[in-house]
Amino acid sequence: MLRTRTPAETLEIVLPLAKKCGITRIAEITGLDRIGIPVFSCIRPGAADGAISVYNGKGLTDDEARVSAVMEGIERYCAEVGDRKLIFDRYSNLNPAEALDPAELILPQGISPDTVIPWYQCRDLVSGDELLLPAHAVFHPVPHTHGRFMRTSTNGIASGNTFNEAALYGLCEVIERDAWSLVEASGVAGKVIDIDTIPEKPSGADEASASAAGEYLDKCAELRELLRRFADNGVDVILRDITADNGIPTIAAVSDDVRLKDPSLLCIGMGTSLSPAVAAIRAVTETAQSRLTQIHGAREDTTEAEFRKQIGYDRTKRLNKKWFGVPESRADMRNFADIPRFEADYGSGVCDFSKELEYISERLASCGTKHIFAASLSTLDADIEVVRVIVPGLESFAIDNQRMGERCRNARRNRFSGAKSQTE
């Protein structure tokens, strides 16, 4: 999946917005780690209560990483409630045809779906209808004065050069968190990918190709280069295929610094994309970002790393065996070429990401998804979109263990029933 503008073009638009969003500093932190994959950090000291104020961004180039960090700060700024007008009421007092039943959002135990909460209007990308959704599912953070309902998060908040572009990336993040949640609920992390099966460009081929196949091979080459950087610096990386039942490629990258054996540097990154190569690149670069987050030490949400330091390197790996364990035989690994990919054909037309959104909608519908909601959060007078995507029924258990839905429960039941049948 590509972007409408190049990173350099996007950077020209977003850098002037940084000050408006309260971003006071943008810094490169790549050099703090020996891997050398570009990572930038930006700071927004005035972040609302309940939100972090340091954001990191990664990429294959400095421009990509710088844009990623700044866009993250802009997303967080736009995701705050601010002076938006919200509707406060119970679901039972609203027209059911105009509001989503909060019970569809997988609520924490003990939370009534009919409490007085704030609501905000979103558009269903499937039907085109406008519906009210609980503001806790749309914004982050929601002020404590707006009532206790469910923990807010940034899951599904994304930015882009157009609405569709931002919605696509937000939707991919929601799918990624769902796949990750199913792993955490079941304890099964999917097959290890045989990295030797990542396609290589034929010798003598052009450096770049305008064809879809050529672009895919270019991405595979970039992925191989990223993995080489880790390997050359004494960091083992395992790729796992954690794609869920919807078939949208989701890859996890697990890194182990075998040189330092630092438990805080046992990092996991995730990526979802219609291209397995892009999904894997996102996962690997996120792992590089996670390493630098720990080394940099500026973010407020690194408590898990502190816990890992307390229990030590070996025990951390044992407790996370589902991620760090590898099969004895390559026959038990996943062939990278077997992971399906989707390439939209726009012919001579302009790529507006509508075909990608339509394809994902169809895949999710085949698994029982009825709605894909999107809300424009853009508050800046600029050619940049910030969108929040909400998909009722998809899981976020991996980032909020108070919320476990039917998909996670089924994954957990299937795991235990399978284990039982093997012992009988």
Side-chain angles (χ1 to χ4, degrees):
M1 298 189 301
L2 304 176
R3 292 280 188 177
T4 306
R5 298 187 182 97
T6 66
E9 290 170 339
T10 302
L11 198 59
E12 286 185 11
I13 296 172
V14 301
L15 279 180
L17 303 176
K19 188 174 182 180
K20 287 184 180 180
C21 297
I23 295 172
T24 59
R25 187 180 178 212
I26 304 166
E28 182 176 9
I29 59 175
T30 310
L32 297 178
D33 191 11
R34 65 184 190 273
I35 305 298
I37 293 172
V39 176
F40 277 69
S41 175
C42 78
I43 301 172
R44 192 168 70 90
D49 185 30
I52 62 174
S53 59
V54 180
Y55 322 111
N56 293 333
K58 75 282 187 185
L60 298 176
T61 66
D62 286 353
D63 276 354
E64 285 185 8
R66 188 182 284 107
V67 166
S68 176
V70 175
M71 293 291 264
E72 180 82 7
I74 291 173
E75 290 166 18
R76 297 300 183 97
Y77 170 81
C78 292
E80 295 176 0
V81 174
D83 58 0
R84 290 180 174 95
K85 297 186 185 305
L86 306 178
I87 296 172
F88 287 81
D89 212 334
R90 301 179 188 276
Y91 173 67
S92 58
N93 292 336
L94 300 173
N95 184 341
E98 297 177 354
L100 179 76
D101 185 346
E104 294 190 38
L105 295 175
I106 310 177
L107 301 179
Q109 284 190 343
I111 297 296
S112 169
D114 201 34
T115 189
V116 175
I117 55 171
W119 299 78
Y120 193 75
Q121 196 168 64
C122 304
R123 176 161 60 93
D124 187 348
L125 299 182
V126 176
S127 67
D129 294 337
E130 300 276 347
L131 263 71
L132 291 171
L133 265 68
H136 290 74
V138 180
F139 300 102
H140 174 76
V142 171
H144 299 303
T145 54
H146 288 14
R148 179 175 175 265
F149 188 57
M150 67 181 188
R151 187 182 302 165
T152 64
S153 77
T154 60
N155 185 24
I157 298 176
S159 52
N161 297 289
T162 66
F163 180 90
N164 278 1
E165 182 181 306
L168 177 60
Y169 283 84
L171 181 54
C172 283
E173 182 173 75
V174 172
I175 292 169
E176 171 197 306
R177 300 290 171 80
D178 174 75
W180 179 18
S181 295
L182 297 179
V183 169
E184 296 298 342
S186 67
V188 179
K191 282 192 173 185
V192 171
I193 295 171
D194 184 351
I195 62 173
D196 289 336
T197 63
I198 298 171
E200 293 187 77
K201 293 188 71 170
S203 58
D206 294 336
E207 289 188 9
S209 173
S211 70
E215 289 175 359
Y216 182 70
L217 289 176
D218 287 342
K219 288 299 177 185
C220 288
E222 290 173 353
L223 172 59
R224 282 181 166 275
E225 171 60 20
L226 288 172
L227 293 172
R228 184 196 63 76
R229 287 197 191 185
F230 276 88
D232 287 353
N233 285 281
V235 180
D236 291 346
V237 175
I238 300 169
L239 297 183
R240 289 185 175 273
D241 179 10
I242 63 169
T243 304
D245 53 353
N246 50 58
I248 307 300
T250 302
I251 308 295
V254 187
S255 70
D256 178 2
D257 195 326
V258 294
R259 185 182 299 175
L260 296 181
K261 295 186 182 296
D262 183 340
S264 69
L265 296 181
L266 292 168
C267 298
I268 301 174
M270 315 279 176
T272 294
S273 171
L274 293 174
S275 162
V278 174
I281 287 171
R282 287 183 187 164
V284 174
T285 53
E286 186 171 287
T287 303
Q289 176 179 297
S290 295
R291 284 176 56 87
L292 274 161
T293 297
Q294 301 306 323
I295 296 168
H296 189 216
R299 279 182 61 143
E300 303 98 319
D301 56 349
T302 57
T303 52
E304 184 177 345
E306 292 302 318
F307 172 71
R308 288 182 174 187
K309 286 181 179 179
Q310 292 176 17
I311 66 175
Y313 172 80
D314 292 325
R315 190 179 178 199
T316 296
K317 288 188 68 173
R318 286 197 301 272
L319 290 174
N320 291 276
K321 185 179 179 180
K322 64 178 180 291
W323 293 115
F324 291 96
V326 295
E328 296 181 359
S329 170
R330 290 181 64 183
D332 296 323
M333 294 184 180
R334 182 82 151 124
N335 189 313
F336 193 80
D338 291 338
I339 304 174
R341 70 181 193 266
F342 173 79
E343 295 164 346
D345 183 6
Y346 287 92
S348 59
V350 177
C351 170
D352 63 359
F353 301 103
S354 59
K355 293 182 184 294
E356 289 87 346
L357 287 169
E358 181 180 3
Y359 175 79
I360 295 178
S361 297
E362 291 173 353
R363 295 302 309 158
L364 292 179
S366 71
C367 301
T369 296
K370 298 177 182 177
H371 306 285
I372 300 173
F373 292 103
S376 175
L377 303 183
S378 303
T379 58
L380 301 166
D381 185 17
D383 201 10
I384 289 293
E385 290 281 350
V386 177
V387 174
R388 176 63 177 258
V389 174
I390 308 105
V391 184
L394 291 194
E395 302 280 355
S396 58
F397 174 73
I399 59 173
D400 185 353
N401 61 13
Q402 295 181 1
R403 299 169 62 196
M404 176 181 280
E406 193 61 29
R407 287 172 61 77
C408 276
R409 287 192 289 269
N410 285 339
R412 181 167 286 183
R413 280 195 294 264
N414 291 341
R415 178 220 174 172
F416 288 122
S417 63
K420 182 179 179 182
S421 64
Q422 291 175 18
T423 60
E424 291 176 346

